[in-house]
Amino acid sequence: MPILGLHPSRYPTKPAHFDIEQVIRPNILALQPYRCARDDYSEGILLDANENALGHSIPPPSQANGAVLEAELEHTLDLDLHRYPSPTHDPIKERIAALRGLPGPEYVFLGVGSDEVIDLLMRVCVAPGRERILTTPPTYGMYAVCAQVNDVGVVKVPLELSGVHGEGGEAGRFSLRIPEIKAAIDADPSIKLIFVCSPGNPTGTLIPLSAVRQLLEYAPFKGVVVVDEAYIDFAADGASAAALVAEYANLCVLQTLSKSFGLAAIRLGIALAHPALVQILTNTKAPYNISTPTASLALAALAPPAVDAMRAKVASLVRGRAWLLHALAALPDIGPAIGGNDANFVVVPVLGRAGSELAGQPDTARAQRVAKALAEEQGVVVRFRGHEPGCAGCLRITVGSPEENEAVVERLREVLKSM
């Protein structure tokens, strides 16, 4: 069954064993997507979409009870807020494609945060009640949540932890268990999506592209490998699986403007994939899913000067990450950081007090108390992650400003003394 809206020349040819029509649910392939008004016309006297032709009702600055609107709001009010937004946002896609080294905007899909893309991938690829996804915990919790919402089973192959907290000062590091993942695929042909978080949340683990290639080229797996790269700009250059997208039709790379671009509030998620999969996601998404204010901010954030500013801030946060790791290592009862430290956070275990049963070992109960005391008594909120596989006793600490980094270290020092 042909993919509606995709020209035959855009059909995937590599790898040879991959047939996208065998991956997508038949009802999705047969779907006639909603055709919105702006698909046809976007100029002239627009009386075709039941819009308010008189415009929005927010008063301009001169009528706002004397209040002075900020420049950002003034700019937003100048947008055509009474019109539905573009269904395609091609200028944004063009800038993303150029930024990530892809052939063109047809390799880019935009979602309301990465979570919308995750949900869409499950809905178009995995049959409810019959098929499954594979995750590699500890990992981003929304994969399992979306799976449950969509009545999709989850096969878990935990990351492999090498190194032991507190043993000779060696930090724990995580990696994919490729043989176990392949064995799971062989045992369960119903697996349609593999979710790999890189750098991982909550571990900060960067998965090498060589490992991703092994999954993409494993012929018994007929589904799609999803590499979630929310934190990729905090890793070394050349680490992104976006470099593989033009080569493998069975790859989908997720990115976002929430982290390195500092635009979590605008909810813009990105999928980088072969045009065939992008077209299917486009056919399935809700109409007008990206708002005009979000699109305006995203386009500005992807302009060259703004990208340069983003990279400068990322470099500053990476330096802060190194400082934070060094400072935390000097604290009593804090073990070596785990993971790859390739994101904008660090993960460290709280160890048991000297003389206690867990002295020198990760102490999950103590870590939970420390996190609570930091938030409620010290005004510093960190994330307790001690119940995640391989993360016993761990706190996840976001890299902040230099002043915030110093504050968390000093206040953590005080809390550790008291409990």
Side-chain angles (χ1 to χ4, degrees), residues 130-417:
R130 294 193 294 108
E131 296 178 329
R132 304 186 182 194
I133 66 169
L134 185 148
T135 65
T136 58
T139 193
Y140 182 41
M142 277 303 295
Y143 309 144
V145 171
C146 278
Q148 184 168 351
V149 168
N150 286 288
D151 192 22
V152 166
V154 181
V155 175
K156 298 178 181 179
V157 179
L159 295 173
E160 183 173 21
L161 177 63
S162 60
V164 180
H165 314 309
E167 184 178 295
E170 182 184 6
R173 297 182 65 87
F174 293 88
S175 60
L176 285 182
R177 289 174 164 159
I178 298 293
E180 286 85 349
I181 293 175
K182 291 180 177 179
I185 291 166
D186 294 341
D188 190 349
S190 77
I191 296 172
K192 302 294 284 292
L193 298 172
I194 297 174
F195 283 92
V196 176
C197 199
S198 176
N201 179 8
T203 68
T205 298
L206 182 69
I207 303 300
L209 296 188
S210 58
V212 176
R213 281 185 183 273
Q214 289 185 63
L215 298 179
L216 294 169
E217 295 177 355
Y218 189 56
F221 178 57
K222 307 304 181 183
V224 175
V225 177
V226 184
V227 182
D228 190 343
E229 294 188 341
Y231 304 94
I232 195 62
D233 289 319
F234 298 98
D237 292 342
S240 175
L244 307 179
V245 165
E247 184 178 354
Y248 294 96
N250 54 342
L251 171 64
C252 182
V253 176
L254 306 184
Q255 295 185 353
T256 180
L257 296 191
S258 294
K259 310 301 180 184
S260 58
F261 284 87
L263 290 172
I266 75 170
R267 308 306 301 130
L268 189 77
I270 300 161
L272 310 175
H274 189 280
L277 182 55
V278 169
Q279 186 65 58
I280 289 164
L281 293 172
T282 301
N283 292 351
T284 313
K285 75 173 181 67
Y288 315 119
N289 63 327
I290 306 301
S291 74
T292 295
T294 288
S296 176
L297 289 166
L299 192 63
L302 290 161
V307 171
D308 289 343
M310 176 273 287
R311 287 173 171 155
K313 288 188 176 182
V314 165
S316 177
L317 287 169
V318 168
R319 290 192 296 271
R321 183 178 69 198
W323 184 93
L324 188 58
L325 285 167
H326 179 76
L328 289 170
L331 290 182
D333 296 342
I334 293 294
I338 68 170
N341 300 316
D342 288 301
N344 67 334
F345 57 83
V346 299
V347 182
V348 292
V350 175
L351 309 180
R353 293 182 68 96
S356 71
E357 184 179 346
L358 291 174
Q361 298 299 316
D363 188 333
T364 297
R366 188 185 186 199
Q368 200 161 17
R369 294 195 303 271
V370 166
K372 181 178 174 65
L374 276 173
E376 297 179 3
E377 300 170 17
Q378 300 290 334
V380 174
V381 181
V382 301
R383 196 77 180 268
F384 170 72
R385 278 292 179 247
H387 294 316
E388 298 285 339
C391 298
C394 281
L395 303 177
R396 192 189 70 195
I397 304 173
T398 302
V399 179
S401 67
E403 296 77 15
E404 290 169 332
N405 292 338
E406 291 175 6
V408 71
V409 170
E410 288 309 310
R411 296 180 194 185
L412 179 55
R413 187 194 309 276
E414 291 302 313
V415 169
L416 287 169
K417 288 179 182 178

